[in-house]
Amino acid sequence: MLSKLIIFIICAAICLTTLAYGTVHQSVIAVFYASATILSVFRAIDCLASGEIRFNTSFLQIPLIAAIIYGVIQIIPVGSLAETGGVSGISRTISQDAFSTQLIIAHLIALLIYFAVTLAYIDSAKRIRTIVLTVTIFGFCYAFFAILQSFLSPNKIYGVLEVQYAVPFGSFVNRHNFAAFMEMTIAVPFGLLIVGGIPQDKRLLYVTAILLMGVALLLSGSRGGLVSLLAMIFFVIFVTTQAKNYGSLVLKFGMAAALIATIIVGANLIGGESSLTRFAETAASKDITTNRSHIWSVTFEVIKNNPIFGAGIGAFGVAYTPFDSLNGLERVEQAHNDYLQVAADAGVIGLLIGGVFLVLLFKTGLRNIKTPNLYRKGVAVGALGGCFAILVHSLFDFVLHTTAISLLFLTLVSLVAVSGKGQREDGEVEKKHKKRKANVTPIDALQSKIKK
């Protein structure tokens, strides 16, 4: 019962962290931390009751642990700063904002708990399907809600929260975060569709879900989201097509082109601003918080002055200010490029930790997509494609700073890690899959019967 409850909490967290404005407000984040604590307690009780320790040996957990340890090192006091403005006794740390670094450490610990528990408890084919269905069904329903809200109450989330300094979409304060979430929810069913891991009688449902989520992404107006979606589609086709198999390549590209065309037509029929209309705009904006060219140039100065150890995880806002060449009226908290921000916050050490994570992720994913089980292969392809989309989107935005997105991202990483191994109930699921296919009359066979 505890094991099932843990899976339920994981699925509920994916949905509720998204609905709660993406879990970016401190009060909601505190509830998220409480849920992580409860998850740890339930896991400990379950281990005691079963007499065995549930633990996944995936190396993908190591970089996250390393990031937490390095964050702790950054806030260790080493002497004191010189007296400034009559204030003395301030501890000298690597981090230029030790308090913000402490907050990030707490956040990473909560995410690590969810990640480790998800890896350990997705131990059967049924549970893989539960997570996949949660992501797909919630993504479909959430996209439908977001489209309705964009017309009924475009400037207020749930008709209540009015956002002043960003363009909201769905329950997210920033439309780019909504697009990032959709990229991942689209990727999972798309991967299953491409490899043929969906029974024939359910394919239309999955195609409908993909199309609606794609229309919602396009209507969000996120250019980075559109680029990432296209990158995900090409990536999935690339990793699932064998060399010199031109027929399969043409078929998959044709399917992808048809999906993209349908999404574009659907978005145009619904109307409103979309990612396509925003491509006519320049990347530079009058708003300093979205003027990426200026922010990136200042971020390079931060990196130059803190090349090895970084300015401190979460300390970007403080480190950025001294190098800002503008009036400083607007405080910039993120670099709008997660790779640059990792270099600014954690230096070369942070880049090494991030690089190890990416190598392990793609090494694990490319190995697991070779599994002979079609369903698990589709899950591995889709989950890896969703991760790839977020990594592309991180070139333009700071989407992984939002709790709901980082939680879903780690959930997809978990699916990538567990999908390569044979799971309990695999045989049962395959029998049901074959039986379901046998109960479906192919169109060609139906036409021949009609002629007779």
Side-chain angles (χ1 to χ4, degrees):
M1 290 298 295
L2 276 174
S3 180
K4 292 178 180 178
L5 183 58
I6 286 171
I7 294 296
F8 173 78
I9 291 174
I10 292 169
C11 293
I14 293 171
C15 303
L16 295 178
T17 53
T18 305
L19 296 176
Y21 306 117
T23 309
V24 293
H25 300 98
Q26 289 302 322
S27 56
V28 185
I29 290 175
V31 175
F32 175 68
Y33 293 168
S35 71
T37 305
I38 293 170
L39 205 59
S40 298
V41 172
F42 283 173
R43 181 185 184 183
I45 296 173
D46 182 51
C47 290
L48 288 172
S50 62
E52 60 181 13
I53 298 176
R54 287 178 180 262
F55 183 78
N56 191 293
T57 57
S58 173
F59 290 150
L60 285 163
Q61 299 166 95
I62 294 176
L64 199 52
I65 296 171
I68 293 170
I69 293 172
Y70 186 55
V72 172
I73 292 172
Q74 285 187 323
I75 59 174
I76 295 175
V78 182
S80 299
L81 296 173
E83 183 176 330
T84 305
V87 180
S88 60
I90 301 175
S91 299
R92 182 190 299 275
T93 59
I94 294 175
S95 174
Q96 297 180 23
D97 187 354
F99 178 71
S100 293
T101 303
Q102 290 174 20
L103 294 179
I104 297 297
I105 292 170
H107 204 74
L108 290 175
I109 290 173
L111 289 172
L112 176 62
I113 290 171
Y114 266 95
F115 184 38
V117 172
T118 303
L119 281 169
Y121 280 82
I122 303 181
D123 57 354
S124 68
K126 185 177 179 180
R127 288 182 176 175
I128 291 178
R129 287 178 178 270
T130 299
I131 299 295
V132 169
L133 285 174
T134 298
V135 172
T136 304
I137 294 172
F138 177 72
F140 172 78
C141 297
Y142 183 57
F144 183 72
F145 154 75
I147 292 172
L148 286 180
Q149 181 177 265
S150 67
F151 290 99
L152 299 175
S153 179
N155 298 320
K156 290 184 179 180
I157 302 175
Y158 303 130
V160 177
L161 179 64
E162 187 169 3
V163 181
Q164 299 291 336
Y165 302 106
V167 180
F169 205 88
S171 59
F172 287 99
V173 173
N174 190 312
R175 60 183 167 191
H176 302 298
N177 291 333
F178 173 84
F181 192 85
M182 284 293 104
E183 294 158 16
M184 291 186 283
T185 56
I186 291 172
V188 175
F190 182 71
L192 284 166
L193 190 67
I194 285 292
V195 303
I198 302 172
Q200 291 179 1
D201 57 333
K202 291 186 177 181
R203 285 176 188 170
L204 183 59
L205 294 174
Y206 278 77
V207 170
T208 303
I210 292 168
L211 292 176
L212 187 66
M213 288 187 280
V215 169
L217 187 153
L218 206 61
L219 288 176
S220 70
S222 173
R223 291 168 294 189
L226 178 58
V227 170
S228 302
L229 175 64
L230 296 175
M232 180 274 291
I233 291 172
F234 286 116
F235 175 79
V236 168
I237 292 173
F238 175 76
V239 298
T240 56
T241 305
Q242 296 179 353
K244 297 182 180 180
N245 194 346
Y246 300 113
S248 176
L249 184 64
V250 170
L251 181 62
K252 289 176 181 178
F253 266 115
M255 182 188 299
L259 284 171
I260 294 169
T262 307
I263 289 170
I264 293 172
V265 170
N268 287 331
L269 287 175
I270 293 175
E273 183 190 49
S274 70
S275 304
L276 293 173
T277 59
R278 291 195 67 242
F279 263 111
E281 301 174 8
T282 177
S285 169
K286 292 180 181 179
D287 181 6
I288 179 61
T289 60
T290 57
N291 188 346
R292 290 169 175 77
S293 58
H294 172 73
I295 293 174
W296 292 346
S297 65
V298 178
T299 303
F300 278 115
E301 293 300 319
V302 176
I303 295 171
K304 286 179 184 177
N305 283 269
N306 306 275
I308 307 299
F309 302 107
I313 300 174
F316 183 80
V318 173
Y320 180 94
T321 304
F323 302 98
D324 190 0
S325 58
L326 297 181
N327 55 29
L329 290 177
E330 298 286 351
R331 180 179 170 91
V332 178
E333 297 284 355
Q334 289 88 20
H336 288 265
N337 181 311
D338 278 339
Y339 303 98
L340 289 180
Q341 186 150 352
V342 167
D345 285 1
V348 173
I349 295 175
L351 289 175
L352 287 174
I353 293 172
V356 169
F357 177 80
L358 293 181
V359 169
L360 289 173
L361 173 61
F362 284 99
K363 183 178 179 181
T364 303
L366 294 175
R367 180 183 69 242
N368 289 350
I369 63 175
K370 296 177 182 178
T371 177
N373 184 294
L374 273 183
Y375 184 81
R376 285 192 281 109
K377 179 177 182 177
V379 171
V381 168
L384 188 62
C387 294
F388 181 77
I390 289 298
L391 295 173
V392 172
H393 202 153
S394 294
L395 289 167
F396 318 108
D397 290 301
F398 49 96
V399 291
L400 283 172
H401 293 233
T402 305
T403 307
I405 295 172
S406 55
L407 179 63
L408 181 56
F409 175 78
L410 290 176
T411 303
L412 294 192
V413 173
S414 301
L415 289 175
V416 170
V418 303
S419 58
K421 297 179 180 178
Q423 302 288 348
R424 289 188 291 112
E425 303 161 359
D426 257 351
E428 265 181 63
V429 172
E430 283 297 308
K431 285 179 184 178
K432 288 180 181 178
H433 181 73
K434 289 178 181 178
K435 185 178 179 181
R436 194 178 291 117
K437 286 179 71 175
N439 291 333
V440 176
T441 304
I443 294 175
D444 295 338
L446 186 62
Q447 287 177 343
S448 61
K449 284 183 179 180
I450 292 171
K451 287 179 181 179
K452 288 179 181 179

